[in-house]
Amino acid sequence: NLTSLNLGNNEIGPEGFKALAGALSSMPNLTTLAVRDNAIGPEGFKVLAVEVAVAMSGAWQWSNDFGPEGAKALVGALSSMPNLTSLNLARTALGAEVGRAVAGALPSMPSLTELDLGNNDLGAEGGR
């Protein structure tokens, strides 16, 4: 019946998140997952986005550089998360192109009330 899990600042890395994905995806009541500052990288993030986050309705908290491949997984996962209420992608090195893609996914997330994209070098192009 776990609803909130904070794994932040644990140096879990991509292999650790791959190992955790099965356990996390079997937690149907999990609504808040904090995984900030874990150096999960693109591979770990793709696993998390595809296998775990699509079932979540609460908050994501990242602060991990997940690179272009992880960002593609993120955008794909966001369109499958209509119940997501809070999304924190601060300090994830999104860049302008991914920032625009996240903005494009917003209409598919009608429950989203909080979004943090701080410290991502979005620039003027990322805000369009």
Side-chain angles (χ1 to χ4, degrees), residues 7-22:
L7 297 172
N9 301 302
N10 280 300
E11 302 296 322
I12 294 171
E15 292 304 314
F17 274 97
K18 288 178 187 178
L20 280 170

Side-chain angles (χ1 to χ4, degrees), residues 17-18 20-26 45-55 77:
F17 274 97
K18 288 178 187 178
L20 280 170
L24 293 173
S25 62
S26 67
F45 183 78
K46 283 193 297 186
V47 168
L48 214 53
V50 172
E51 295 184 25
V52 179
V54 294

Side-chain angles (χ1 to χ4, degrees), residues 21-22 25 42-56 60 62 69-78 80-81:
S25 62
E43 290 304 311
F45 183 78
K46 283 193 297 186
V47 168
L48 214 53
V50 172
E51 295 184 25
V52 179
V54 294
M56 293 189 59
W60 271 11
W62 295 106
E69 291 302 312
K72 288 177 188 173
L74 163 73
V75 173
L78 289 178
S80 302
M81 301 161 92

Side-chain angles (χ1 to χ4, degrees), residues 56-122:
M56 293 189 59
S57 61
W60 271 11
Q61 300 177 15
W62 295 106
S63 298
N64 289 283
D65 182 354
F66 45 75
E69 291 302 312
K72 288 177 188 173
L74 163 73
V75 173
L78 289 178
S79 62
S80 302
M81 301 161 92
N83 297 321
L84 190 69
T85 59
S86 177
L87 178 61
N88 182 338
L89 294 170
R91 296 178 28 224
T92 52
L94 291 178
E97 183 178 344
V98 177
R100 285 191 305 273
V102 169
L106 291 176
S108 65
M109 298 181 292
S111 300
L112 191 69
T113 58
E114 297 177 42
L115 176 62
D116 186 348
L117 299 175
N119 298 306
N120 274 302
D121 296 321
L122 297 177

